[in-house]
Amino acid sequence: MADVYYDDINIGDRYSSSVGRTITDMDNIWFTLLTNNNNQIHFNADYTKKYYPGEPFNGRLVVNGMLTIAVVVGLVVEYTSKNGFMLGIDGVKYMHPVFAGDTLYASAEVIEKRESRSKKGFGIIKIKTTGYNQNSEEVIEFTRTFMIPKKESKW
């Protein structure tokens, strides 16, 4: 895909990931330990079987929510912010747990757009992003704000 600039993005534009990403137990455990998250629900199968045997977990390890955000953001970067940088994430809602073996997909809609007041040649975009699994169940939603250059920018 060609480079994406502020000028190319309009309010109401919608994007969907061109690929999915299947999450593995190893992805989840490594990410959780790398980020020093010591919640055993993400890496101790014996613990989850004992303390979370019922719905919706059924004793399974739950994918770290921050990994879910990271993957869903990454799935739409090629259409939105691959030339820019993130300013923030707001309104995160987890609607359905993610487990190893789930494949994540993402869609995004541009909800705001404005020129940057502090960085000449750049604009600020806000998108509503939704992540869903292989069963089309929504697993997460959030808004993400990022800054990207205009076409004439000498960044």
Side-chain angles (χ1 to χ4, degrees):
M1 176 154 190
D3 288 340
V4 179
Y5 296 95
Y6 175 79
D7 318 71
D8 301 322
I9 297 177
N10 298 295
I11 294 173
D13 286 355
R14 294 176 185 265
Y15 309 98
S16 292
S17 56
S18 60
V19 298
R21 173 61 161 82
T22 302
I23 305 298
T24 67
D25 272 329
M26 186 162 302
D27 294 330
N28 184 42
I29 293 169
W30 280 35
F31 183 90
T32 298
L33 297 177
L34 177 68
T35 57
N36 294 312
N37 183 332
N38 64 359
N39 185 336
Q40 296 183 68
I41 200 168
H42 303 304
F43 60 84
N44 184 337
D46 182 55
Y47 173 85
T48 58
K49 286 175 187 166
K50 286 180 184 174
Y51 297 104
Y52 294 95
E55 288 291 333
F57 307 115
N58 296 320
R60 296 175 288 174
L61 297 176
V62 179
V63 171
N64 186 307
M66 297 308 289
L67 175 58
T68 301
I69 289 173
V71 170
V72 170
V73 165
L75 287 169
V76 292
V77 162
E78 70 179 301
Y79 307 110
T80 59
S81 58
K82 79 176 192 175
N83 291 336
F85 52 92
M86 188 161 58
L87 300 174
I89 293 180
D90 297 298
V92 177
K93 294 180 196 167
Y94 295 97
M95 284 89 86
H96 190 279
V98 175
F99 302 102
D102 283 345
T103 300
L104 297 178
Y105 299 90
S107 63
E109 178 181 1
V110 178
I111 57 174
E112 291 180 26
K113 174 181 178 174
R114 70 170 178 84
E115 293 187 18
S116 173
R117 293 186 285 270
S118 63
K119 190 158 179 62
K120 186 174 174 20
F122 283 75
I124 297 173
I125 306 288
K126 184 180 275 191
I127 60 175
K128 178 182 176 193
T129 304
T130 304
Y132 51 97
N133 65 20
Q134 69 280 356
N135 299 319
S136 298
E137 297 166 312
E138 291 185 3
V139 298
I140 190 170
E141 82 176 19
F142 52 87
T143 58
R144 184 166 67 96
T145 306
F146 54 92
M147 185 178 284
I148 58 172
K150 294 180 177 183
K151 285 183 180 175
E152 80 276 358
S153 177
K154 302 291 186 228
W155 57 288

